[in-house]
Amino acid sequence: MYRLFIAVLLVSAMLSPSLDAATAVNAEALYLQHCAACHHPQRLGGMGPALLPGNLKRLRKPAAIDVIGNGRVATQMPAFDQQLDAAEIAALADYIYTRPTTAIDWTETDMLASHIAHNNPANLSARPVFEVADPMNLFLVVELGDHHVTLLDGDRLEPIHRFRSRFALHGGPKYAAGGRFVYFASRDGWISKYDIYNLKLVAEIRAGINTRNLAVSHDGRYVMVANYLPHTLVLLDASDLKPLRILPVTDAAGNSSRVSAVYTAAPRDSFIAALKDIPEVWQISYADNPPPGFSGWVHDYNPESGDADTGDRFPLRRIAVDDYLDDFFFDQEYVSIIGASREGKGQVVDLDLGRVVVPDLALPGMPHLGSGITWEYEGRTVLATPNLRAGKVSVIDMESWQNVRDIETLGPGFFMRSHENTPYAWVDVFFGPNRDAVHVIDKRSLEIVRTLRPAPGKTAAHVEFTRDGRYALLSIWDEDGALVVYDAASLEEVKRLPMNKPSGKYNVYNKLNLSAGTSH
Ligand code: DHE
């Protein structure tokens, strides 16, 4: 594969007047040495994003040079300025903007060739094959260290089973069918359907080369996959993961875009996606009878011809926005989308009106809205979001859209969580010297009431609550890590389960019931 890759490089170097062959070979060697492990030998993305010109439209070359030298905030991208000199960094930057000599695509044929039917759930048990008091209080914990998932009993707070996952699962797994099935997405495009009750995989398919996340329709019939590479949204049949539609993500002029993320808006029978390179939000209806002739649908639904063959079965509505939405979040009613670009321009989009209603939401820095949560504060609903660039949690009134408070933290944070049955919201300090700290905020006073350091020197991150909100589970983000269980009222540690770089953890009940304290 490497030999082929070198040949590809040499051809591209010959085609590129800005690179002589010697520089290209040098850059390729540097790339393979320093970048390929995360970004893939052919730049297709892995733990890190794909590094191809089509995916770098928003990153100008001087900015790329800066990222290679100094790292990229809020990502795992380290700084290379101690290992590479300026000429080497510049050569690498040139290299990632060279076009691949063959077009990179992932077609329906590729998907079908990758499809694996593991087990037919119809032949398996409809009840858990293990002892569990409350199947709705199960948790899945993603262990990034060795790419495994642990199934945890939320009552006994003990592991039940541990199984291998695809490489680098990212984003929340999505539950369906009352919690029997769960769907995972890996960064390299694999979608897996797992039968929790039977501890078995149902089916898998590679739906993209570099994937963001997936959403499952609230009726459990469809899965939508958001890709970075190629620029597509892929609709799968949730029963067997066979592809139903591949939507090229382009604007009216034909410009294509990566997808920031896709979520399910149950009250709208729709998937909602935001785009990274086109200022649009997409709503894709999966209703059996989408609103006929609804103004704004690109494909007006024709009830007479609206079957799976017409292209109209899953109509698309485009909503123009003022800036890219790199990250976004919904109110509990799924009327408003609260979004922000990486540069921190916040906006509110009204899904009823189909337009931006607040163009200048006060969210400077880099709010991590995907981890935003809501609660009632002094008679109004507020949203709170950590910030990937600044040491603060922003609290915003969801009626006036004014900032209620910026809560100063010990550094930028990634994840925030609460539960209806606790007065506290937890936020990590993922970046910087205090990355081992987690703040507990009182939702009534908006003050930090406790700062915990469960494993000094090791990153502490991502909290999830048991179904009843009685316990908070926190990750020690280390290969020699652990899941730490706290009493959510006394804030005292209850127990510690060793785990290999545990990342996100997901409670079946809280997720299926769209708890206001958890991401959806
Ligand atoms: Fe995530 C969720 C985007 C980096 C761990 N992350 C999400 C989601 C998005 C997103 C859009 C929501 C998807 C969903 O749940 O369906 N993440 C991004 C980025 O753009 C960013 C900043 C850069 C990137 O590399 O893609 C990024 N994320 C990371 C990490 O570096 C983390 C810490 C480790 C990792 O896995 O790579 C990380 N992201 C997570 C986790 C969730 C997540 C654990 C699920 C949170 C939840 O509770 O639902």
Side-chain angles (χ1 to χ4, degrees):
M1 179 158 57
Y2 286 128
R3 208 170 286 156
L4 172 72
F5 183 55
I6 291 168
V8 168
L9 258 170
L10 287 173
V11 174
S12 73
M14 284 187 305
L15 294 176
S16 165
S18 64
L19 283 177
D20 61 31
T23 312
V25 171
N26 188 22
E28 179 248 351
L30 288 173
Y31 180 87
L32 289 177
Q33 185 185 349
H34 297 289
C35 321
C38 288
H39 295 279
H40 190 271
Q42 283 152 299
R43 297 186 276 151
L44 303 179
M47 190 61 96
L51 296 178
L52 296 163
N55 277 30
L56 295 169
K57 288 179 205 157
R58 280 177 61 197
L59 190 74
R60 295 187 170 276
K61 210 181 273 183
I65 289 174
D66 180 58
V67 170
I68 298 169
N70 302 314
R72 187 158 171 83
V73 70
T75 72
Q76 313 283 319
M77 174 70 188
F80 283 91
D81 60 347
Q82 299 301 308
Q83 298 167 62
L84 301 172
D85 64 28
E88 290 172 322
I89 290 175
L92 271 176
D94 275 346
Y95 175 57
I96 61 174
Y97 287 90
T98 53
R99 279 179 209 287
T101 46
T102 49
I104 289 167
D105 205 357
W106 194 252
T107 62
E108 187 172 1
T109 310
D110 297 317
M111 287 181 210
L112 287 171
S114 74
H115 184 268
I116 309 168
H118 288 279
N119 289 287
N120 182 351
N123 303 329
L124 299 174
S125 170
R127 295 169 173 278
V129 294
F130 45 87
E131 286 289 313
V132 60
D134 179 6
M136 293 295 273
N137 195 23
L138 291 169
F139 283 79
L140 289 173
V141 187
V142 173
E143 292 182 66
L144 278 183
D146 59 352
H147 308 285
H148 274 70
V149 176
T150 290
L151 176 66
L152 193 80
D153 183 335
D155 290 317
R156 292 186 300 118
L157 296 165
E158 284 294 331
I160 295 170
H161 183 60
R162 191 169 188 266
F163 55 96
R164 175 165 272 287
S165 73
R166 287 282 169 181
F167 174 81
L169 295 184
H170 176 239
K174 304 287 151 62
Y175 296 108
R180 174 174 171 186
F181 299 114
V182 64
Y183 298 81
F184 299 100
S186 72
R187 284 191 186 259
D188 60 0
W190 279 97
I191 306 303
S192 309
K193 176 177 179 178
Y194 188 80
D195 183 338
I196 296 175
Y197 288 6
N198 292 282
L199 308 176
K200 283 182 172 25
L201 278 167
V202 174
E204 289 183 289
I205 191 165
R206 193 170 184 194
I209 297 173
N210 192 205
T211 291
R212 263 307 58 198
N213 79 325
L214 65 75
V216 179
S217 62
H218 72 287
D219 54 16
R221 291 193 296 166
Y222 306 108
V223 172
M224 186 66 99
V225 182
N227 284 328
Y228 260 16
L229 190 71
H231 293 176
T232 53
L233 280 155
V234 178
L235 186 73
L236 305 174
D237 185 326
S239 64
D240 58 4
L241 297 186
K242 292 269 178 67
L244 294 172
R245 285 280 191 289
I246 300 175
L247 285 78
V249 178
T250 54
D251 65 11
N255 301 305
S256 70
S257 175
R258 298 164 293 165
V259 183
S260 304
V262 64
Y263 297 100
T264 302
R268 295 175 184 271
D269 291 330
S270 294
F271 294 112
I272 307 284
L275 312 184
K276 259 198 156 13
D277 307 302
I278 296 173
E280 287 181 8
V281 166
W282 283 18
Q283 177 177 359
I284 299 130
S285 171
Y286 55 76
D288 285 330
N289 294 299
F294 183 93
S295 158
W297 292 112
V298 171
H299 307 291
D300 282 345
Y301 180 70
N302 177 349
E304 281 168 26
S305 62
D307 60 37
D309 296 320
T310 63
D312 298 330
R313 173 64 186 82
F314 301 100
L316 161 71
R317 175 195 194 194
R318 295 170 188 268
I319 299 172
V321 291
D322 290 357
D323 197 356
Y324 311 109
L325 295 191
D326 289 311
D327 201 1
F328 62 111
F329 161 84
F330 298 89
D331 60 359
Q332 286 291 97
E333 293 73 35
Y334 287 86
V335 172
S336 303
I337 297 178
I338 301 93
S341 68
R342 225 187 124 80
E343 293 72 31
K345 178 175 166 52
Q347 17 179 352
V348 181
V349 181
D350 186 308
L351 283 169
D352 285 340
L353 301 175
R355 61 179 169 80
V356 174
V357 287
V358 180
D360 51 0
L361 196 62
L363 282 174
M366 197 189 291
H368 192 217
L369 288 160
S371 193
I373 59 173
T374 61
W375 68 80
E376 295 303 307
Y377 171 70
E378 295 186 351
R380 51 201 163 151
T381 308
V382 293
L383 90 80
T385 170
N387 201 296
L388 297 171
R389 209 193 290 269
K392 66 176 179 184
V393 166
S394 304
V395 183
I396 308 269
D397 181 329
M398 294 183 78
E399 207 174 296
S400 67
W401 298 112
Q402 296 301 308
N403 181 299
V404 176
R405 180 91 53 93
D406 276 342
I407 304 169
E408 299 297 321
T409 61
L410 286 172
F414 228 109
F415 302 108
M416 189 154 185
R417 273 292 202 281
S418 187
H419 187 281
E420 283 74 359
N421 295 343
T422 172
Y424 303 126
W426 298 51
V427 65
D428 54 45
V429 180
F430 199 90
F431 304 97
N434 292 300
R435 62 188 210 289
D436 54 1
V438 174
H439 296 300
V440 180
I441 296 168
D442 191 320
K443 294 190 285 187
R444 298 159 297 192
S445 64
L446 307 185
E447 302 286 348
I448 292 175
V449 290
R450 186 83 63 89
T451 296
L452 302 163
R453 289 186 195 264
K458 292 183 177 175
T459 304
H462 195 280
V463 171
E464 172 69 301
F465 288 82
T466 47
R467 171 183 179 161
D468 57 7
R470 190 164 164 208
Y471 297 104
L473 282 58
L474 169 76
S475 293
I476 304 298
W477 202 282
D478 194 272
E479 289 187 0
D480 186 19
L483 201 69
V484 185
V485 180
Y486 286 94
D487 181 312
S490 68
L491 308 181
E492 295 301 323
E493 181 174 330
V494 174
K495 70 190 314 188
R496 204 170 268 237
L497 304 169
M499 291 205 185
N500 192 338
K501 209 173 179 190
S503 153
K505 58 210 76 65
Y506 310 90
N507 178 273
V508 173
Y509 181 88
N510 295 342
K511 286 290 177 192
L512 279 175
N513 289 282
L514 305 176
S515 161
T518 184
S519 52
H520 295 173

